[in-house]
Structures are given as structure tokens and as C-alpha cells.
Amino acid sequence: MKLTIKTLKPRNPLVPAAKLRQAGAHGAHQASRRVRREGKQELRRQLAERG
């Protein structure tokens, strides 16, 4: 009598590398971009209040 062992599905070798990476915009932590974005948001808020 022969025993057959079911083999597991092979793992995707790219998954561990992808999980280690941080997602998001490139250089989003830069202060100049954040200041510019906040300025745009404030301008839009002011324009929305006017009508």
C-alpha cells in the first residue's frame, strides 16, 4: 500500500519583498510639498465660504 502526500501549492517568491515595501507617494514627507498642499486647501476653503 502506497501513501500519497498532497503537495502544497508553491509560494509566490515576490510576495515577501512586496510586503516589506512601503506604499505611498514618492517624497510625500517633504515639507515643501506639504506646505504647498495645505496652502491650496486653505485657498479652496476660503473660496468655498464666499459662495
Side-chain angles (χ1 to χ4, degrees), residues 30-48:
Q30 293 177 355
S32 60
R33 288 186 182 184
R34 185 172 58 241
V35 170
R36 188 166 57 242
R37 186 184 68 235
E38 288 172 356
K40 286 181 182 181
Q41 289 175 346
E42 180 62 29
L43 178 62
R44 287 186 183 201
R45 263 187 241 118
Q46 291 174 0
L47 291 174

